[in-house]
Amino acid sequence: AQSVAQPEDQVNVAEGNPLTVKCTYSVSGNPYLFWYVQYPNRGLQFLLKYITGDNLVKGSYGFEAEFNKSQTSFHLKKPSALVSDSALYFCAVRDVADYKLSFGAGTTVTVRA
Amino acid sequence: DAGVTQSPTHLIKTRGQQVTLRCSPKSGHDTVSWYQQALGQGPQFIFQYYEEEERQRGNFPDRFSGHQFPNYSSELNVNALLLGDSALYLCASSLAIQENTEAFFGQGTRLTVV
């Protein structure tokens, strides 16, 4: 079985401040981890992924995420948030022996000017 | 390069009716997955098609069925619609040989059951 928890429904930050969106996961085997972003009435856009290797992964639009195996976490970070980063963010996990993605419930990020 | 395209974008159906949603994968992709995203929730995996076969299924009833065509496009069929089937249905495509690649999502079909 695999699952994802995003403990915060909402994250509010001021523009220019660091942004962190938390994610923890559970899988039976080794994980593939992903972050996606969703804008209103749109599909999901891929931000970044962890497959293997370096624990710090860099992705699109200045986002990065840190894989922590001991804490089973994959938190999304951005050093300086923009108003345009306001959106719904989803963390997802896939067991390497599986085909399906399991998503968290999502975190709404609001960046105020 | 066209991404994943879904049709229609919106539709309204009555309880008990049947609906068919369509998906064309990203050029070069051969695997299609379908997800249901209810309001305020994360997407839930329905099933995945590869080589015209359903190769994995999520926890959805048999009312949900699908098909993949030789050109890799796919359909999702839902029979005997319930009010609870109202959701955004997302199609995602990927390339089977690149097992660790990310899935690309379409914009979704918003289904409303009344």
Side-chain angles (χ1 to χ4, degrees), chain B residues 41-101:
Chain B
Q41 298 183 22
Q44 299 292 317
F45 176 77
I46 302 175
F47 41 54
Q48 184 180 89
Y49 275 83
Y50 172 64
E51 293 188 333
E52 303 180 48
E53 299 274 343
E54 180 187 292
R55 72 171 175 178
Q56 188 171 5
R57 187 179 184 91
N59 189 25
F60 279 80
D62 292 345
R63 299 187 296 110
F64 290 76
S65 64
H67 189 77
Q68 186 179 33
F69 299 94
N71 67 352
Y72 308 120
S73 67
S74 177
E75 290 182 348
L76 164 65
N77 300 292
V78 187
N79 294 322
L81 284 167
L82 303 174
L83 296 179
D85 295 331
S86 296
L88 180 68
Y89 288 85
L90 296 166
C91 172
S93 73
S94 57
L95 185 60
I97 197 171
Q98 296 178 349
E99 62 174 17
N100 60 8
T101 191

Side-chain angles (χ1 to χ4, degrees), chain A residues 32 34 36 38 41-46 48-52 88 90 94 96-106, chain B residues 10 33 35 37 40-45 48 55-58 88 90 98-108 110:
Chain A
Y32 293 148
F34 304 85
Y36 286 86
Q38 187 175 38
N41 300 314
R42 301 294 295 273
L44 302 178
Q45 294 180 27
F46 169 75
L48 50 79
K49 65 183 178 183
Y50 171 81
I51 302 301
T52 188
L88 181 56
F90 289 101
R94 180 165 74 84
V96 297
D98 209 337
Y99 297 117
K100 69 177 183 183
L101 281 171
S102 294
F103 287 85
Chain B
H10 297 82
S33 302
Y35 292 81
Q37 185 180 11
Q41 298 183 22
Q44 299 292 317
F45 176 77
Q48 184 180 89
R55 72 171 175 178
Q56 188 171 5
R57 187 179 184 91
L88 180 68
L90 296 166
Q98 296 178 349
E99 62 174 17
N100 60 8
T101 191
E102 63 273 18
F104 286 77
F105 284 80
Q107 289 191 297
R110 173 73 63 185

Side-chain angles (χ1 to χ4, degrees), chain A residues 3-111:
Chain A
S3 64
V4 172
Q6 293 181 241
E8 300 159 318
D9 292 337
Q10 293 194 7
V11 170
N12 299 304
V13 298
E15 189 172 36
N17 281 2
L19 169 64
T20 298
V21 186
K22 296 179 180 178
C23 170
T24 58
Y25 67 91
S26 174
V27 293
S28 302
N30 292 318
Y32 293 148
L33 293 156
F34 304 85
W35 277 100
Y36 286 86
V37 61
Q38 187 175 38
Y39 296 97
N41 300 314
R42 301 294 295 273
L44 302 178
Q45 294 180 27
F46 169 75
L47 281 178
L48 50 79
K49 65 183 178 183
Y50 171 81
I51 302 301
T52 188
D54 289 342
N55 290 339
L56 185 63
V57 177
K58 294 187 182 296
S60 307
Y61 312 117
F63 284 95
E64 57 189 30
E66 186 167 10
F67 171 65
N68 187 317
K69 187 173 183 178
S70 63
Q71 297 185 5
T72 61
S73 67
F74 189 57
H75 301 329
L76 180 70
K77 300 181 181 182
K78 186 170 184 180
S80 179
L82 301 173
V83 172
S84 57
D85 293 329
S86 299
L88 181 56
Y89 290 79
F90 289 101
C91 180
V93 67
R94 180 165 74 84
D95 190 302
V96 297
D98 209 337
Y99 297 117
K100 69 177 183 183
L101 281 171
S102 294
F103 287 85
T107 299
T108 299
V109 170
T110 302
V111 182

